[in-house]
Amino acid sequence: MAYILRKFGILVFTLWVAATLNFILPRLVPGDPVGAMMARYQGQLTPDAAQALRIAYGLTDQGSALTQYFTYLNNMLHGNFGRSVSQFPSPVTDIIAQAAPWTIGLLGVTTVLSFLIGSALGLYSAWRRGTWLANILPPLALFVNAMPYFWFALLLIYFLALKRDVFPISGNLDPFVGDAFTPKWWTSMLRHAALPAITIVVTAAGGWLITMRNNVMSVLGEDYLAFARAKGLSERRIVNRYVLRNAMLPSLTAFGMALGFVVGGSILVETVFSYPGLGFYLFTSVNAKDYPLMQALFLMIAAAVLIANFLVDLLYAVLDPRVRDGRPA
């Protein structure tokens, strides 16, 4: 219990630090969202309209910096992040609520798939080393892991969308697809998600393969494996109970980080495919200087990464009793 409370205290403190930095950093940038909007409309906004927008965005004088800070924390706790500049007058929370399911559905599933596929192949490559398939997997994994997302995505678009017209080039659904969750809707959604999903799984699985292979190779030299074989345990039990459990622990932290960054979306992949997820909106908000939307997305990414790492710490305590007992690993 002390271990969990300590980790939870670190989580709350780090979230507060992230929220505070999220309050300070945008205020260090010259100008404000209304100034960016006036520049984009080339002076079409009158001074009265600009002042009305500043009031709507909460940019008028609200007292001291400390008062604004506590107002910001109160609004944040109530889920009030203001209105988007690039999609005015839509509230930021509406935009995030619309985009989040697409990002979590695509990147969440593909992140888990790439982790499972890469880890399984890495275990096989280390356990069955010496066979032709196990020997060819590491260099192949290094090759695919070194490929940039956007380069591989462009190859898929060229060969499977432009040349063959197997999959659509961009978007998340066909026009006029009808009601949600019907067979036609699912077919359209899966066709649009296929190329981004292939891009993520192929390029990310290689890194998980190399990581798991290295972990397994280090575990294979431990004395407890020789003792397990001397006891006459089967190879399957040795792999499941001793090798996999101990080799998986170092990968959990990286997996938690990867799951946390799912909230931010894969900016390059979603931008290349014009997939309307959080990463795509983060990219457009930076270009449009949409500070309210940008600020909310940055805070979501930070919170997701911290919460994911907290859950990984709890999983560590379940898998390795030495962690929660405070003993050296």
Side-chain angles (χ1 to χ4, degrees), residues 15-27 58 62 64-82 291-292 294-300 302:
L15 282 174
W16 170 74
V17 172
T20 302
L21 291 175
N22 205 35
F23 170 81
I24 295 174
L25 293 179
R27 285 159 176 77
Q62 298 178 345
S64 65
L66 188 62
T67 302
Q68 295 181 38
Y69 174 67
F70 285 112
T71 302
Y72 157 79
L73 289 181
N74 180 66
N75 291 336
M76 181 191 69
L77 292 175
H78 287 84
N80 180 15
F81 295 98
Y291 299 126
M294 195 191 318
Q295 192 174 16
L297 288 173
F298 283 149
L299 185 61
M300 282 188 62

Side-chain angles (χ1 to χ4, degrees), residues 217-229:
M217 293 296 291
S218 63
V219 170
L220 291 178
E222 297 293 339
D223 294 336
Y224 54 78
L225 287 187
F227 182 71
R229 288 192 175 93

